[in-house]
Amino acid sequence: SQQGEEDPQALSIQEGENATMNCSYKTSINNLQWYRQNSGRGLVHLILIRSNEREKHSGRLRVTLDTSKKSSSLLITASRAADTASYFCATVPLETGGFKTIFGAGTRLFVKA
Amino acid sequence: EAQVTQNPRYLITVTGKKLTVTCSQNMNHEYMSWYRQDPGLGLRQIYYSMNVEVTDKGDVPEGYKVSRKEKRNFPLILESPSPNQTSLYFCASSLKGNQPQHFGDGTRLSIL
């Protein structure tokens, strides 16, 4: 069953603007990860946030996690055309012992130059 | 260079003809996994392996088999492929099961 669900499904912004993507999940998790995928290529890990963390930064990325609402957001600041890609959240449900990974359907981000 | 290598990258075949997609990683990772990606559905986990000789089903295991005889290799076997297995397949590995995963470049399978 799909756990992570991203919102919006697609997002189009101008270069320099911020992009925010949201992810919701259903069960208690060990951690939540965000990945990026350039068209048809393999996914690349961006950032991992543990269940006891609320916010994490990495360069132009900022991730928040609200375990009470079972949701996370990924903010990309000062976006660039090269940020055009699909972004996926992935959860590791506690009930699976930390072995099963569930990906959402992804948000397609298009950054116009 | 740390990498996950999948072969073949592309394959067109016919219903019922057994095929194997190989996956190899050079990072001494314990955890390996197979996913399929279909439009609008994101990635769905087929099988995963926590270590040598230890495998378990993901969300969509029907029609697939795996084995993990060596730490570096995790082949995906389609014993009798059907058209609904036409998809983009990814192999991934990580140090442990809940750690960031390294992905291969994908295998695009078309089953006619």
Side-chain angles (χ1 to χ4, degrees):
Chain A
S1 61
Q2 286 298 320
Q3 168 148 272
E5 293 183 5
E6 286 91 346
D7 168 56
Q9 290 186 334
L11 181 61
S12 181
I13 59 174
Q14 292 291 139
E15 208 167 29
E17 293 180 340
N18 295 342
T20 299
M21 289 159 265
N22 303 297
C23 170
S24 61
Y25 58 92
K26 295 176 184 167
T27 64
S28 297
I29 58 172
N30 181 299
N31 64 55
L32 186 143
Q33 301 168 35
W34 284 91
Y35 289 79
R36 165 195 169 123
Q37 182 183 35
N38 287 79
S39 184
R41 303 295 303 275
L43 278 70
V44 175
H45 178 260
L46 295 175
I47 195 164
L48 179 153
I49 186 164
R50 293 183 175 79
S51 59
N52 61 354
E53 296 176 309
R54 292 296 167 259
E55 189 170 311
K56 203 161 180 180
H57 296 253
S58 176
R60 293 185 296 114
L61 306 180
R62 173 180 167 246
V63 169
T64 61
L65 179 65
D66 186 335
T67 53
S68 67
K69 294 181 180 176
K70 291 186 168 61
S71 68
S72 173
S73 68
L74 170 68
L75 168 68
I76 304 174
T77 60
S79 63
R80 305 165 183 168
D83 293 329
T84 294
S86 291
Y87 293 83
F88 296 88
C89 70
T91 53
V92 182
L94 278 175
E95 63 191 21
T96 69
F99 296 117
K100 208 169 187 179
T101 307
I102 300 178
F103 283 84
T107 292
R108 294 182 66 182
L109 173 65
F110 181 66
V111 181
K112 292 177 278 190
Chain B
E1 182 192 347
Q3 57 187 4
V4 176
T5 304
Q6 296 178 227
N7 280 297
R9 294 289 317 280
Y10 305 91
L11 179 63
I12 301 173
T13 187
V14 295
T15 300
K17 187 176 180 183
K18 180 180 178 180
L19 68 91
T20 299
V21 185
T22 63
C23 175
S24 180
Q25 51 93 3
N26 63 359
M27 296 165 280
N28 202 35
H29 285 169
E30 288 186 358
Y31 183 87
M32 296 186 76
S33 182
W34 276 103
Y35 300 90
R36 60 177 289 173
Q37 184 176 27
D38 302 289
L41 295 178
L43 276 77
R44 293 180 291 168
Q45 194 170 37
I46 303 170
Y47 271 95
Y48 58 91
S49 169
M50 297 79 93
N51 215 324
V52 176
E53 302 290 4
V54 185
T55 63
D56 205 350
K57 297 176 181 178
D59 285 327
V60 288
E62 295 78 20
Y64 305 95
K65 283 176 61 176
V66 293
S67 67
R68 186 96 182 270
K69 296 189 173 70
E70 307 163 282
K71 201 170 188 178
R72 62 183 293 128
N73 296 323
F74 190 45
L76 179 70
I77 302 155
L78 285 73
E79 293 270 1
S80 183
S82 63
N84 64 11
Q85 292 176 299
T86 291
S87 188
L88 179 57
Y89 290 84
F90 288 102
C91 180
S93 73
S94 62
L95 200 58
K96 300 283 185 182
N98 59 359
Q99 295 302 303
Q101 296 181 43
H102 295 250
F103 279 77
D105 285 333
T107 295
R108 191 168 290 279
L109 285 184
S110 292
I111 298 158
L112 308 175

